[in-house]
Amino acid sequence: QQQVKQSPQSLIVQKGGISIINCAYENTAFDYFPWYQQFPGKGPALLIAIRPDVSEKKEGRFTISFNKSAKQFSLHIMDSQPGDSATYFCAAREKAAGNKLTFGGGTRVLVKP
Amino acid sequence: DAGVIQSPRHEVTEMGQEVTLRCKPISGHDYLFWYRQTMMRGLELLIYFNNNVPIDDSGMPEDRFSAKMPNASFSTLKIQPSEPRDSAVYFCASSLSRVTGKTYGYTFGSGTRLTVV
């Protein structure tokens, strides 16, 4: 059972464009939603995260939008750059489950110059 | 801090051989996680430890897989005997149980790419 569903699997965006990745979840016990960025040959690295009591969080060109009632959250990459080309994973934590993170399936983003 | 350190970075072994992957978590982190990443299945949690004690090993695919954490600074994941379908990238990650600063998250190692031929 996939507890966190991520879409799309891949996307191509032109330099300067906006990349949008969406995630949906069912488990209302999730209390923390991080996004990870992974470059080839590297482990995933924490990019930005949000708690469900906040509807939006912005850090530089990266913004998370959170819709608690719809149980959906998304990552927006503004002014996408070739260096943003990577695989992005959304995740959700259930604190009662020992801080375990459940990851989405990943989105491979390619930013064309 | 050197981060989470995994070794070896690459491992090629023959089917039936024993494979041991190693991980050194960040000092002071009390959670340690082992993940497997494949194209087909994405990131799968295999097992995790809290204060060196295994908490949930429900993701370990078969009895051929075992993991230990003898102390706070070292963990191993062993596959015996290895099979070609075990080929994947294996990641170790560590974290704190309490939220510090503005965010909580795992710190991943660079992974071990395992190829079983």
Side-chain angles (χ1 to χ4, degrees), chain B residues 29-104:
Chain B
H29 280 192
D30 54 352
Y31 276 89
L32 184 139
F33 305 83
W34 282 101
Y35 279 85
R36 177 171 68 176
Q37 185 175 38
T38 61
M39 288 294 292
M40 291 296 295
R41 301 175 70 89
L43 275 166
E44 300 175 274
L45 177 64
L46 301 177
I47 185 172
Y48 73 95
F49 297 82
N50 179 217
N51 292 320
N52 313 336
V53 176
I55 302 300
D56 183 354
D57 65 354
S58 60
M60 298 285 262
E62 299 172 33
D63 291 344
R64 298 183 296 105
F65 286 70
S66 63
K68 294 181 179 179
M69 191 165 186
N71 57 63
S73 60
F74 184 66
S75 178
T76 60
L77 178 68
K78 184 179 292 186
I79 308 172
Q80 179 184 23
S82 58
E83 297 183 3
R85 59 195 169 116
D86 302 330
S87 298
V89 180
Y90 290 81
F91 287 105
C92 174
S94 69
S95 75
L96 288 168
S97 57
R98 58 185 176 86
V99 175
T100 59
K102 292 186 285 186
T103 60
Y104 156 90

Side-chain angles (χ1 to χ4, degrees), chain A residues 14-106:
Chain A
Q14 292 294 129
K15 179 182 176 182
I18 302 173
S19 303
I20 301 174
I21 306 170
N22 300 300
C23 285
Y25 65 97
E26 290 295 325
N27 187 350
T28 55
F30 288 145
D31 67 346
Y32 184 79
F33 301 87
W35 285 86
Y36 284 78
Q37 179 187 53
Q38 184 180 26
F39 294 106
K42 302 290 187 181
L46 180 64
L47 183 63
I48 186 173
I50 196 168
R51 293 187 181 279
D53 54 349
V54 177
S55 61
E56 185 176 282
K57 183 173 181 180
K58 183 176 180 179
E59 290 185 1
R61 296 184 293 107
F62 299 90
T63 299
I64 301 177
S65 298
F66 190 87
N67 186 329
K68 188 174 181 178
S69 61
K71 291 185 283 187
Q72 295 176 347
F73 58 110
S74 60
L75 176 70
H76 291 64
I77 307 173
M78 313 300 287
D79 187 25
S80 298
Q81 299 296 311
D84 297 331
S85 297
T87 300
Y88 293 82
F89 293 91
C90 63
R93 182 193 76 168
E94 182 179 352
K95 188 175 181 181
N99 290 318
K100 184 171 66 174
L101 284 177
T102 300
F103 285 86

